[in-house]
């Protein structure tokens, strides 16, 4: 969940006004993309300018790409894929991968094994 909050925080910083109160009228900006994590993606931002929307969009896409390089089970060079194919011994991993694995362990226990990423 921390990386989800990190994404939200990053987006807020990207569209923020640097601490100055904004007098500009906020409006929704919508962007649509195909083949982001293998599916379509729609981003909506309430911003006061196209420049703010572009910065927020770039920040969101960069964070999605960063997490994909860590967590992807499809990308052969992702941290998760490298960890999975490594010899079975303790291996340091990023906080994001550790958190995702911990959450799967929690849900495996909560569901009596019904959700098992193995």
């Amino acid at each position: 969940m921390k990386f989800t909050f990190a994404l939200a925080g990053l987006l807020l910083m990207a569209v923020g006004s640097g601490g100055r109160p904004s007098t500009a009228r906020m409006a929704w900006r919508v962007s649509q993309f195909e083949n982001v994590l293998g599916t379509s993606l729609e981003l909506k931002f309430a911003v006061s300018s196209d420049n703010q929307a572009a910065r927020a969009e770039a920040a969101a896409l960069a964070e999605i790409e960063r997490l994909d390089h860590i967590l992807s089970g499809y990308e052969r060079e992702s941290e998760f894929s490298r960890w999975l194919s490594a010899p079975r011994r303790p291996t340091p991993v990023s906080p994001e991968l550790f958190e995702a694995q911990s959450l799967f362990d929690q849900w495996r226990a909560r569901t009596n094994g019904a959700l098992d990423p193995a």
Side-chain angles (χ1 to χ4, degrees):
M1 288 297 196
K2 290 179 187 171
F3 54 84
T4 304
F5 293 124
L7 176 59
L10 185 61
L11 295 176
L12 289 173
M13 288 188 306
V15 298
S17 61
R20 297 180 311 261
S22 175
T23 57
R25 184 168 181 220
M26 301 294 271
W28 286 104
R29 303 300 202 285
V30 179
S31 301
Q32 296 177 336
F33 302 90
E34 292 299 323
N35 201 25
V36 175
L37 301 177
T39 190
S40 58
L41 171 69
E42 182 176 272
L43 297 175
K44 293 181 181 182
F45 300 103
V47 293
S48 58
S49 72
D50 288 337
N51 187 27
Q52 285 182 332
R55 288 193 333 248
E57 180 182 288
L61 293 172
E63 181 66 357
I64 290 168
E65 184 174 347
R66 183 185 79 81
L67 291 172
D68 187 44
H69 289 307
I70 295 169
L71 303 171
S72 176
Y74 298 102
E75 184 183 319
R76 289 180 34 188
E77 292 301 314
S78 72
E79 181 184 2
F80 173 74
S81 294
R82 290 191 318 268
W83 172 82
L84 194 59
S85 65
R88 298 290 179 222
R89 62 176 184 246
T91 304
V93 297
S94 67
E96 292 87 351
L97 181 54
F98 184 82
E99 182 179 4
Q101 291 172 328
S102 297
L103 289 169
F104 267 118
D105 286 342
Q106 290 174 27
W107 280 104
R108 180 181 23 244
R110 287 180 183 177
T111 63
N112 294 320
L115 178 63
D116 188 344

